[in-house]
Amino acid sequence: MIVGQIAKGERKLALANLGFAYAAFLIGTLCGLLQVFIRNDALTLPGWLDYYQVLTAHGLLLAIVFTTFFIFAFFQAGMSRTLGSFGRKVLLWNWIGFIVTSLGTLLVVTMVIGGQASVLYTFYAPLQAHGLFYVGLALFVIGTWIQGFALIGHYRVWRKQHKGEFSPLFAFMTVATLIMWIIACLGVVAAVLFQFIPWAFGWVEGINVELSRSLFWYFGHPLVYFWLLPAYMAWYVIVPKILGTKVFSDSLARLSFVLFILFSIPVGFHHQLTEPGIASFWKFLQTVLTFMVIIPSLMTAFSMFATFELRGRELGGKGLFGWFRKLPWKDVRFTSIFIAMAFFIPGGAGGIINASFQMNEVIHNTLWVVGHFHITVGTPVAMTFFGLTFWLIPYLSGRRLTKALQKLAFIQIISWSVGMLLMSTAQHVLGLMGAPRRTAYTGYAHDDALAWFDGVLSNHVTMAVGGAILFLSASLLIYIVIQLWWIAPKADVHQAETFPIASSDVSATPGFLENWKLWVGIAFVLIAIAYTIPLADLIQHAPPGSGRFQTW
Ligand code: HAS
């Protein structure tokens, strides 16, 4: 086996996850293309296909399926690379988890395509999907838990064999992300098992709508960090290696992940600031905690700037910004991720606006929010995953990113950036003017409303042009993936792609950062403070449960 390569079992497993991820990506982006044209009034769907069906498929396939399968591929390959080969048991449980996750996904997608579940990815009650849609969701989560626990098991074995040592940064970050994911899913599992399934199968008559939404958002906000943290792992651990340097600060990196475990969960009410049934005090408390979860992202930004500047100066960059020119711009593995980071500056600033109580009144339920998530999950996260794809697939398939493919990769990331810039800017501006989200184009009969769409950027055409460029870019990416997987030339020993992991100096890292019991304990205390009373209120003072609505 080539040095730094991982065992065949893990390679197959990671590739299986990637295959699922990119199949979902292709269908999901096609749904996105349909949507922008429908909203632009340029396309009318045939009677058997509904706008909300397409929107549900788009959100689920891209935000949930593409991300989750990609993340597990990255974790499995990286854990095997940094902690050593999986034992038989770990590998088997990972496969079982993968199969359960896939079965759940197929069930969910079948229900959506069959027109039984046009409830969007937030599946808000009282919209009601077929019971099997919720069963599929439960299987999906259980499958990820199985894979997650198998990876944590691998880490535990390593720690037993390496008493007193810090785990490699990649493994530490994987475990932190999985811990957050497992705690976060408790909310959605409770809602699906105890509320949605009994209600959808007709075992109980009504559903407590506000409770189900609160349990969803208990999960829904950390969900966005489940997407973000693997991207941060690439920024902290992979990017410095590509630059030829080490991690800026091991303790800063570990602390930022610990802060995500603590503060990413007790903040879900910032998605419900306009909803009744939750007292203002609890909304305020969770808004304050939301501002706490911004801190680890600011620490990450600081760490990235420091890495770039220090390395650029080492390479001879002079003056205030001379270091900038010394960065490896011709390497698509770096440039893709840099662009991803740059998009997160307005993306993160938008998040801070959303979280600000009064400003949320202006943007809530408007296209602004759609713009926001396209420049958070849709670019910083997705484009980091593209950047990883350019070396991860060759690493797993034993092929090479040739010069010609690298050129195509550049076209792909640039077209994605242009498409996203056009589309998300139009969405932000239209949202500020009041254009609603989660609706098909309604014709906007009123003159004042029609005037929103006269601006250069504030019109649905810009959005549609952006969406079309994005779809072309997505198709190009699929072409590159196919090439790297099956067609590009095989790499010999000298050309073989490596899994780039930067070295990280742990000499000043305090031991308590790897004390999981401490962090999980504090996380549960914060969750109890933020959620016990408001959830108890929602249960105790519940209105009569709502009946079922199917609007499609
Ligand atoms: Fe958000 C709604 C608040 C981050 C995703 N968010 C959403 C929804 C999604 C989403 C999907 O408070 C819609 C949900 C739905 O369907 O209803 N969001 C925040 C806050 C943050 C935040 C405070 N969101 C994200 C991330 C997401 C994501 C990350 C996906 C991955 N969000 C909200 C709120 C709502 C919301 C409200 C509800 C709105 C409503 O009313 O419906 C923070 O985590 C952001 C902190 C980030 C920063 C940026 C740091 C910058 C970095 C880059 C450094 C760059 C470098 C490159 C080094 C402070 C790390 C240098 C380059 C140069 C060119 C110089």
Side-chain angles (χ1 to χ4, degrees), residues 121-122 124 217 221 224-225 227-228 232 235 270-271 290 293-294 297-298 300-301 304-305 308 324 338 341-342 344-345 347-349 351-352 354-356 360 363-365 369 372-373 376-377 381 437-438:
Y121 89 105
T122 39
Y124 275 174
W217 285 117
H221 197 70
V224 315
Y225 297 119
W227 304 327
L228 182 70
Y232 276 4
W235 300 6
H270 72 224
H271 291 265
T290 304
V293 79
I294 293 166
S297 282
L298 295 175
T300 306
M304 290 304 118
F305 276 115
F308 296 153
F324 191 77
F338 186 90
M341 291 177 188
F344 198 39
I345 296 178
I352 297 172
N354 301 348
S356 307
N360 184 271
I363 56 83
H364 184 67
N365 270 345
V369 178
H372 166 67
F373 62 66
T376 47
V377 64
V381 170
R437 68 178 287 210
R438 298 195 177 103

Side-chain angles (χ1 to χ4, degrees), residues 261-458:
I261 299 183
L262 302 188
F263 295 113
S264 66
I265 302 170
V267 298
F269 287 164
H270 72 224
H271 291 265
Q272 299 173 272
L273 294 177
T274 57
E275 291 178 19
I278 303 163
S280 318
F281 172 77
W282 299 109
K283 290 180 180 171
F284 174 72
L285 179 75
Q286 295 211 10
T287 303
V288 172
L289 291 171
T290 304
F291 276 79
M292 294 298 292
V293 79
I294 293 166
I295 293 171
S297 282
L298 295 175
M299 287 163 61
T300 306
F302 172 76
S303 185
M304 290 304 118
F305 276 115
T307 307
F308 296 153
E309 181 174 351
L310 290 175
R311 181 60 182 155
R313 290 195 187 285
E314 249 173 44
L315 293 172
K318 299 265 180 303
L320 201 53
F321 293 114
W323 51 270
F324 191 77
R325 272 186 278 123
K326 296 285 174 188
L327 300 175
W329 298 111
K330 289 189 180 145
D331 186 340
V332 74
R333 300 172 308 165
F334 169 75
T335 309
S336 52
I337 296 188
F338 186 90
I339 298 177
M341 291 177 188
F343 264 94
F344 198 39
I345 296 178
I352 297 172
I353 290 171
N354 301 348
S356 307
F357 230 108
Q358 294 88 337
M359 284 193 271
N360 184 271
E361 299 288 307
V362 179
I363 56 83
H364 184 67
N365 270 345
T366 70
L367 270 184
W368 165 283
V369 178
V370 182
H372 166 67
F373 62 66
H374 280 97
I375 53 167
T376 47
V377 64
T379 311
V381 170
M383 199 171 324
T384 298
F385 291 179
F386 304 162
L388 296 178
T389 300
F390 300 142
W391 59 261
L392 185 58
I393 295 193
Y395 175 72
L396 297 169
S397 68
R399 294 183 188 271
R400 275 191 301 125
L401 179 74
T402 56
K403 277 199 178 139
L405 282 174
Q406 165 134 251
K407 265 192 200 145
L408 284 183
F410 267 110
I411 298 176
Q412 193 271 318
I413 57 164
I414 289 166
S415 52
W416 189 271
S417 311
V418 172
M420 202 52 99
L421 208 62
L422 287 174
M423 191 181 79
S424 71
T425 310
Q427 287 168 336
H428 275 94
V429 175
L430 284 166
L432 280 182
M433 291 173 167
R437 68 178 287 210
R438 298 195 177 103
T439 56
Y441 186 47
T442 52
Y444 299 105
H446 196 278
D447 283 348
D448 286 346
L450 280 170
W452 298 337
F453 302 98
D454 291 341
V456 179
L457 281 171
S458 65

